[in-house]
Every structure is written in structure tokens, then in C-alpha cells.
Amino acid sequence: MGDIARFILNILFTLFGAVLLLRVWLQLVRMPPFNTVSQTVFKVTDWLVIPLRRVLGSRGGIDWACVFAAWLCAVVFLFATVAVSGISPLDFFPEALWIAVVMVLKWAVNLVMWITLLMVIMSWVNPSAPAMPVLVALTDPLLAPIRRIMPSLGGLDLAPIVLFILTQVALMVIARIGLPFVGM
């Protein structure tokens, strides 16, 4: 039963952490708040972000309340996972704070990878889908520098493949930094 509980905790906390980071990303690309994707993300995360924003505020164009909420989500996930394993969470409290930072980095890189992959698939399957403007707005700031370096191959855009490879390399680096712990 412990494996099942850890699996469910991993899914729930990873998804919620990714939604918190998506909120930060949406704000960084200045996605209109009345967009359906933005509205959904705000509704799912407002209960945690709004109280934290009153305390932390936002500086430098980054919603630090969302970033802190994602980190807090990672800390709670680590403590819950360890508690399900039958170990006292207080036994590794200082390490959990660092591992949570690495876990948030992993969630962010995974989010970039999955959004890019979704954008590529949607561009092949249904380029006029309502979600495409959101996906393009999210990925263009990351793909534009790669497109400036990559040679143009007619209608073939290799920038998403390069970004996908870069995210995989980043995940390998994060795995080395973060210690192989609780499914990282």
C-alpha cells in the first residue's frame, strides 16, 4: 500500500506544483487573465497564492507567492512521502528544504518539456485549436533564441527539438544535484 500511496501523492503534488509554476509562466509572458487557461489556473491556485501574496508580494515581475507556494508544495510532498514510508519527517528536515528547491526546478523543466511537446503535437494535429495561441505564447520566448541560432530549413522548425533536448539535459543535471530521492 505504501507504493500506491507514494504514487498518488507524487501525481497530486506534481500536478499542483506544475500548475503553480504554470501560473508564474503565464504571468511572465503576460497572458491575458481572461483567457480560459489563465482563468482555470487562477481558480485552482488562488486559495493558496492570494494569502501568500499578501505576505510576500511580487517583485521584479515574478510572482514570488506562486514560487514559494510551489516550494511549499514540494516540502509537504516530501514530508507526506516520508511519513507514508514510516520514517519521521523531522529526521531529514534540513535536507528536505534543499530537496524541495531541486524538486521545484525539476517540475519547472518538466513543465517546459511537456508544454513544448504539446505545442508541437497540436501544431501537427490541429493548428487552429483554441489552445494554440496560449501554447505559442508560452513557448515562443524559449524558442525564439534557438530559432535565431538554428538555420532555416524551409518549413521545418527544429527549435522545439533542440529545446526538448536541452530540457532533457537539464533534467539529467537536476537529477545529479537532487539526489535520487522519492522518485526524483
Side-chain angles (χ1 to χ4, degrees):
M1 289 302 279
D3 290 339
I4 295 170
R6 280 189 296 276
F7 174 72
I8 292 170
L9 285 171
N10 188 17
I11 289 173
L12 293 175
F13 280 93
T14 299
L15 286 176
F16 187 64
V19 171
L20 287 164
L21 294 172
L22 179 59
R23 182 178 177 140
V24 174
W25 195 1
L26 288 168
Q27 292 170 348
L28 285 173
V29 298
R30 301 186 192 291
M31 184 64 59
F34 302 109
N35 179 294
T36 55
V37 174
S38 299
Q39 294 252 323
T40 303
V41 168
F42 292 155
K43 285 179 184 176
V44 169
T45 58
D46 273 351
W47 67 272
L48 180 58
V49 173
I50 289 175
L52 287 173
R53 190 175 292 140
R54 289 185 194 122
V55 176
L56 299 173
S58 59
R59 292 173 194 88
I62 295 176
D63 189 355
W64 291 106
C66 287
V67 175
F68 182 76
W71 175 81
L72 196 59
C73 181
V75 169
V76 171
F77 165 68
L78 289 169
F79 285 156
T81 303
V82 169
V84 166
S85 301
I87 303 169
S88 172
L90 298 177
D91 290 345
F92 80 107
F93 181 75
E95 294 89 1
L97 302 179
W98 164 249
I99 293 170
V101 169
V102 174
M103 190 167 266
V104 169
L105 286 173
K106 178 187 172 192
W107 289 345
V109 173
N110 268 321
L111 184 63
V112 168
M113 180 188 69
W114 286 108
I115 294 288
T116 304
L117 188 61
L118 183 61
M119 189 266 309
V120 168
I121 291 170
M122 290 296 293
S123 72
W124 295 336
V125 175
N126 188 4
S128 60
M132 276 307 288
V134 174
L135 296 172
V136 168
L138 288 171
T139 56
D140 264 357
L142 301 171
L143 294 173
I146 298 170
R147 287 182 180 132
R148 282 193 293 273
I149 296 170
M150 295 289 299
S152 177
L153 298 176
L156 187 61
D157 185 12
L158 297 178
I161 294 171
V162 172
L163 182 59
F164 192 80
I165 291 169
L166 292 173
T167 59
Q168 291 301 307
V169 170
L171 286 172
M172 289 177 201
V173 170
I174 290 169
R176 294 266 183 193
I177 294 171
L179 308 173
F181 182 76
V182 278
M184 283 193 68

